[in-house]
Amino acid sequence: MASSRQSPPRDHLLATASRLFYNDGINRVGVDRVLQEAGVTRATLYRHFAGKEALVVAYLEREDKVIQALWKEGLDRAVSADHALELAIEGIADDAYRHHTRGCPFIKAAGEYPDPESPVRQLINKHRAWFHAELRRLLAEAGRDDVDGRAEILAMLRDALMVGCFLDDPDVTRRTFVRAARRVAGLR
Amino acid sequence: MASSRQSPPRDHLLATASRLFYNDGINRVGVDRVLQEAGVTRATLYRHFAGKEALVVAYLEREDKVIQALWKEGLDRAVSADHALELAIEGIADDAYRHHTRGCPFIKAAGEYPDPESPVRQLINKHRAWFHAELRRLLAEAGRDDVDGRAEILAMLRDALMVGCFLDDPDVTRRTFVRAARRVAGLR
DNA sequence: GGTTAGAGAAAGAACGGTCGTTCTCTCTGA
DNA sequence: TCAGAGAGAACGACCGTTCTTTCTCTAACC
């Protein structure tokens, strides 16, 4: 367990792999391409990761961590429970519109890993459960009724936002999402 | 142009490829596996299709045709414009809940084909444009205001339904979709 | 009418390339 | 001196594709 976490070559490798996996699809990107673009050699990859699937899991874990960090950071500015809901909706919209313009990394990965028992799919389930729970928490703290129903549809709107910013008009999709999400969240 | 359309081996091959591509992901399924499960030989594949990408395009074209046929068939039973909206929403929910339980074939394919200019992506755009247009048509025929806005959010709800029936609880997702979609469509 | 030449489709061997992985060798620094 | 990391060759397996061979059915000719 010498180099399991936080080593510069590992981080660089993971960042490169993440970019390639997200942009081109996991199954389309071979380890050779990751190594070439990262400028490291095979031995480096297999020293830090057990194999390609471990690299994929690390990629999604990294996405999960970044998203959770941005989420918490964004909500720190909230001055009220209603304001937290507003910030959450704007933050989700910004993320899809500006950064995740090629769809949701988790939804995409699920499409490439058909086995529901695989570590990849379990990680995806964990991430989605976290997001649902966060939405329920924000809605409950704002005193809304039907917390479960509202959270469910907000989560669905986020999935749709990700798809729409990828495949349809990002501006229209974003505007539609914000309008609908605010209504569901009981804002305005 | 002897065997361009409607030949049994071609149809059987395409049906097998469609099932495998949809269930396991296009890039995960090699032609060997398609051939083996279809019980045909390589020569048969390359006689009817130019290559794997042509097979993928044919798979999505087939999905597109089936969906459009089901859509039209379902709407034929409508006795009014409002009833058509109801049938459309129920039909979409049924399709995701019963048949397309592993996500939307087009959204999944888009994730595996990063080049927006590729024939695959163009076909996906065409299908999505058709669906948006159909929603606008139904809403306009029912005399609703803000046809574009309503159609946009209905289309988004359908994308979310597909994702949710794949990765979350299908029952909850379906119920949430129908409730929200009926409200957006101005029903009840 | 029987035979055979020819076209079309199927069978499967084989191609070069890439997949993910493992190996050996060399270098480096303590 | 020696453990550990990097470099790169090499592995078997599979990728999508092409090739040659075999089979079959048709049609024309004797």
Side-chain angles (χ1 to χ4, degrees), chain A residues 102-151:
Chain A
R102 308 191 92 147
C104 171
F106 297 93
I107 297 174
K108 287 176 79 172
E112 302 199 66
Y113 282 82
D115 179 11
E117 308 299 324
S118 69
V120 170
R121 288 288 294 274
Q122 287 180 20
L123 193 52
I124 292 166
N125 291 337
K126 208 189 81 184
H127 175 78
R128 292 178 71 82
W130 164 81
F131 184 67
H132 277 72
E134 280 294 292
L135 289 176
R136 282 195 298 269
R137 182 178 66 80
L138 291 185
L139 289 164
E141 285 176 4
R144 299 291 188 273
D145 66 339
D146 189 20
V147 164
D148 288 353
R150 289 178 195 258

Side-chain angles (χ1 to χ4, degrees), chain A residues 19-29 33 101-102 108 112 166-167, chain B residues 26-27 53 106-122 124-125:
Chain A
R19 175 173 53 83
L20 293 175
F21 286 161
Y22 179 62
N23 283 337
D24 289 1
I26 295 168
N27 285 334
R28 183 165 294 253
V29 176
R33 177 133 168 262
T101 57
R102 308 191 92 147
K108 287 176 79 172
E112 302 199 66
F166 174 30
L167 297 178
Chain B
I26 295 167
N27 285 334
E53 180 157 317
F106 297 92
I107 297 174
K108 288 177 78 174
E112 302 198 67
Y113 282 81
D115 178 11
E117 308 300 324
S118 69
V120 170
R121 288 288 294 276
Q122 288 179 21
I124 292 166
N125 291 338

Side-chain angles (χ1 to χ4, degrees), chain B residues 9 12-14 16-17 19-20 32-40:
Chain B
H12 177 58
L13 193 51
L14 185 51
T16 305
R19 175 173 54 83
L20 294 175
D32 286 22
R33 179 133 167 264
V34 175
L35 298 174
Q36 188 191 334
E37 299 219 13
V40 302

